[in-house]
Amino acid sequence: MTYLREARALATATIVNYVPFVRAFLNDRFGKGRVTLSRLCAGDVVRFAQRQAQRMQPKRAKLLTAALRSFLRYARYRGDITLDLSAAVPVVANWAMPSIPRGIAPDQTRQLLASIDRRSKTGLRDYAILLLLARLGLRAGEVVSLELGDIDWSAGRLCVRGKSTQCNELPLPADVGKAIATYLIRGRPRSTCRRVFLRARAPITGFSGPSGVGSVVRHAIQHAGIDAPTRGAHQFRHGLATEMLCHGASLGEIGELLGHQHPQTTTIYTKVDIKALRTLAVPWPGGVQ
């Protein structure tokens, strides 16, 4: 993990996601016997990757292959293997922008927020979390890792640590700031933990991972009885980007808010603005048939 964090500069969430894949690969190859990396061959890598990828969605299969490549490069770096077995990891087919992002609609977001019972401490927490997702498009992991020192109340700004270790500063909308402040004053349990959002049950500490925020979203949607596109937190990110695009924001502005490192990542949202895309369509020769 130290190699991935320091030499590869990978985010903690990425490292956590890699570990189960590597463990499964080693267990598949060596079982309960002694792990001898020098015995690995390209066939072991290919068979495992192909067999596992068949059961996965493309996005998760790509995470699997990335984890294997990273592990095999590290094994070679340590001298445990001599060949570059990372080159044997198959490439997962990935058609560019295969589907339209499934974003939650603005009226559904308003209905969801209105359904939260802010008379309870848990409700105050969940309301603030949902506002962060809806108004700033944060990833679940970014909400989880948010710490008390990341909020500059006097400047009205928020330091968000995304997939990289760099801090992305975002303006803190007044309603979001008010929701967080109300939770900190009236809803947050006493704790030495510096995370902004804490578990409601013992042990009183921060969420262990993005799944904690996912659980908040899922329960809120179920309670509100909303027919949302998905049950996950990412739909708010897609919904915000879609809404910004429909109101004239540029892809650059959307990418900056969402913390995209590469411009190509933001171009997927051009598929949701059907009205704008229709203006680019070439008229059919001879008129409408």
Side-chain angles (χ1 to χ4, degrees):
M1 290 189 181
T2 303
Y3 167 79
L4 294 176
R5 186 170 51 251
E6 297 181 359
R8 297 286 310 284
L10 295 180
T12 301
T14 302
I15 298 172
V16 170
N17 286 329
Y18 278 7
V19 171
F21 292 122
V22 175
R23 184 179 293 118
F25 170 62
L26 295 177
N27 184 64
D28 180 79
R29 175 60 182 84
F30 299 105
K32 296 182 179 180
R34 182 178 179 181
V35 175
T36 308
L37 298 181
S38 60
R39 293 169 52 193
L40 289 175
C41 66
D44 298 328
V45 177
V46 173
R47 281 190 294 272
F48 175 79
Q50 290 181 338
R51 188 167 60 250
Q52 295 297 318
Q54 290 176 355
R55 312 170 189 170
M56 301 176 177
Q57 294 293 330
K59 185 175 182 180
R60 187 158 180 80
K62 288 186 67 177
L63 186 63
L64 161 70
T65 55
L68 286 178
R69 289 191 191 97
S70 183
F71 171 71
L72 292 169
R73 290 192 189 107
Y74 175 64
R76 191 185 184 201
Y77 164 79
R78 281 176 47 94
D80 295 323
I81 57 177
T82 56
L83 297 176
D84 182 14
L85 293 181
S86 65
V89 180
V91 176
V92 177
N94 181 36
W95 298 102
M97 297 189 295
S99 61
I100 294 176
R102 304 174 68 189
I104 188 170
D107 59 331
Q108 290 180 321
T109 299
R110 287 191 290 271
Q111 183 182 346
L112 183 63
L113 290 171
S115 72
I116 303 297
D117 182 7
R118 284 180 276 168
R119 293 172 298 180
S120 70
K121 294 182 178 182
T122 302
L124 291 174
R125 182 201 65 185
D126 295 353
Y127 182 77
I129 288 175
L130 290 169
L131 265 185
L132 278 170
L133 296 173
R135 300 279 275 115
L136 293 178
L138 299 192
R139 301 177 180 92
E142 293 169 344
V143 174
V144 168
S145 62
L146 193 64
E147 297 191 352
L148 296 173
D150 294 332
I151 305 175
D152 187 337
W153 296 103
S154 59
R157 300 192 69 80
L158 195 67
C159 177
V160 177
R161 293 177 179 82
K163 291 185 176 181
S164 65
T165 55
Q166 293 183 341
C167 172
N168 181 29
E169 285 198 347
L170 298 176
L172 182 64
D175 57 342
V176 180
K178 181 179 179 180
I180 295 175
T182 303
Y183 165 66
L184 293 178
I185 296 171
R186 293 170 42 198
R188 188 177 185 272
R190 291 182 177 274
S191 174
T192 57
C193 179
R194 298 295 295 171
R195 295 278 181 87
V196 171
F197 299 107
L198 304 180
R199 289 163 44 93
R201 298 178 180 178
I204 304 300
T205 185
F207 293 113
S208 59
S211 61
V213 170
S215 179
V216 169
V217 172
R218 184 171 62 256
H219 290 152
I221 290 174
Q222 290 174 345
H223 174 73
I226 296 173
D227 185 20
T230 72
R231 294 298 172 114
H234 226 63
Q235 63 182 315
F236 294 97
R237 190 173 171 83
H238 292 324
L240 176 63
T242 302
E243 189 71 2
M244 290 178 65
L245 190 65
C246 291
H247 282 82
S250 68
L251 291 179
E253 291 170 331
I254 295 172
E256 183 177 359
L257 176 63
L258 299 185
H260 288 164
Q261 296 181 6
H262 305 288
Q264 307 94 293
T265 308
T266 317
T267 59
I268 190 171
Y269 294 108
T270 59
K271 299 184 69 175
V272 302
D273 194 358
I274 304 300
K275 182 178 179 180
L277 289 177
R278 282 174 177 161
T279 65
L280 304 178
V282 178
W284 186 266
V288 178
Q289 299 296 319

